[in-house]
């Protein structure tokens, strides 16, 4: 894995701060009656006002600046003027920006108004799994130590909330830098102690995705939107994280 210099990590943190600001603006605007296309327009405006460019827009033909995945949609939901948020919706927003050639990538999940207890647990469990993965971003660990930490975090959340969660199959995190998606692929489960060694300057986008049902998914006819096959709701949290000698550094904060 490439090891970024201190200056490169600062540049990535600047890009990540743009992403964090865009996500905050989207969350604030995500009220009942808002369209997901409106949220996309807000994110794009925030990104461009910062002098950055949306990473997602045009990526392999993707038509928007955010992915807006509501309820049973896991990832890559395309924003739409016709899709209006309703009370109780569970909304996952994924956003990326490139600034001075460096990428930041992050995702959040939240409710429109109040969520029911199962959705609250799902959202919290997914965030806790992300936090467990972040904690494993230390020098000397290997790639799948992060994967195993995410999985262990999920199982701990199952015990805490008294219900099972599905780990979405086939999707996970990735390397990131001057391109949005770089090797290695980071699974969200698996045995520890395998894969590339983590060292100071290693950077990964860590992104657990959990469901209230099974982990199987299907891609819709738009060739982008990933939904659960069983109709269960899904949550997605992501941060871009660097390994440093003083511990993990989240690069997508403002």
């Amino acid at each position: 894995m490439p090891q970024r210099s201190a200056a490169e990590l600062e540049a990535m943190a600047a890009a990540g701060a743009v992403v964090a600001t865009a996500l905050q603006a989207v969350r604030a605007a995500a009220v009942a009656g808002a369209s997901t296309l409106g949220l996309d327009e807000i994110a794009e405006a925030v990104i461009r006002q910062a002098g950055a460019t949306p990473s997602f827009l045009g990526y392999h033909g993707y038509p928007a600046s955010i992915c807006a995945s509501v309820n049973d949609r896991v990832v890559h939901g395309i924003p739409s003027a016709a899709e209006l948020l309703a009370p109780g919706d569970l909304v996952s927003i994924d956003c990326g920006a490139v600034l001075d050639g460096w990428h930041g990538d992050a995702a959040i999940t939240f409710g429109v108004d109040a969520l029911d207890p199962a959705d609250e647990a799902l959202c919290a469990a997914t965030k806790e799994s992300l936090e467990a993965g972040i904690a494993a971003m230390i020098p000397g660990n290997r790639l799948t130590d992060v994967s195993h930490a995410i999985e262990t975090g999920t199982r701990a959340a199952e015990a805490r909330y008294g219900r099972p969660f599905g780990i979405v199959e086939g999707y996970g995190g990735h390397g990131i830098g001057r391109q949005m998606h770089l090797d290695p692929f980071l699974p969200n489960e698996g045995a520890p102690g395998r894969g590339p060694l983590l060292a100071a300057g290693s950077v990964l986008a860590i992104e657990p995705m959990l469901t209230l049902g099974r982990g199987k998914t299907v891609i819709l006819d738009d060739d982008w939107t990933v939904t659960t096959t069983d109709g269960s709701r899904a949550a997605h949290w992501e941060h871009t994280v660097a390994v440093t000698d003083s511990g993990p550094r989240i690069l997508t904060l403002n």
Side-chain angles (χ1 to χ4, degrees), residues 38-75:
L39 301 182
D40 180 74
E41 292 167 347
I42 288 168
E44 181 174 0
V46 169
I47 291 167
R48 294 196 186 280
Q49 285 165 10
T53 303
S55 299
F56 296 0
L57 187 61
Y59 183 76
H60 295 299
Y62 187 75
S65 298
I66 61 171
C67 299
S69 304
V70 181
N71 297 332
D72 66 338
R73 297 171 196 176
V74 182
V75 285

Side-chain angles (χ1 to χ4, degrees), residues 150-163:
I150 295 168
E151 180 181 3
T152 301
T154 300
R155 302 310 171 209
E158 289 180 325
R160 185 157 46 252
Y161 298 108
R163 62 157 304 125

Side-chain angles (χ1 to χ4, degrees), residues 138-244:
I138 56 175
N141 268 356
R142 292 194 175 273
L143 179 77
T144 68
D145 290 320
V146 181
S147 303
H148 188 67
I150 295 168
E151 180 181 3
T152 301
T154 300
R155 302 310 171 209
E158 289 180 325
R160 185 157 46 252
Y161 298 108
R163 62 157 304 125
F165 299 106
I167 297 175
V168 172
E169 299 173 7
Y171 294 87
H174 51 90
I176 183 170
R178 288 194 173 274
Q179 298 175 43
M180 183 167 57
H181 289 112
L182 295 170
D183 289 334
F185 173 73
L186 174 65
N188 285 324
E189 57 186 332
R194 302 173 183 171
L197 194 67
L198 302 181
S202 299
V203 180
L204 292 170
I206 303 173
E207 48 181 324
M209 297 158 232
L210 301 180
T211 79
L212 287 174
R214 301 176 64 198
K216 295 189 179 299
T217 60
V218 63
I219 299 174
L220 299 186
D221 290 343
D222 63 15
D223 293 330
W224 283 104
T225 307
V226 179
T227 71
T228 59
T229 56
D230 59 10
S232 62
R233 291 190 170 200
H236 177 204
W237 281 87
E238 178 183 16
H239 270 307
T240 301
V241 184
V243 176
T244 77

Side-chain angles (χ1 to χ4, degrees), residues 100-160:
D100 297 328
W102 294 97
H103 287 261
D105 190 5
I108 59 174
T109 297
F110 55 87
V112 179
D113 299 334
L115 288 175
D116 71 33
D119 290 342
E120 286 278 12
L122 173 65
C123 188
T126 310
K127 187 176 182 182
E128 290 160 15
S129 298
L130 168 63
E131 291 165 349
I134 291 170
M137 289 284 285
I138 56 175
N141 268 356
R142 292 194 175 273
L143 179 77
T144 68
D145 290 320
V146 181
S147 303
H148 188 67
I150 295 168
E151 180 181 3
T152 301
T154 300
R155 302 310 171 209
E158 289 180 325
R160 185 157 46 252

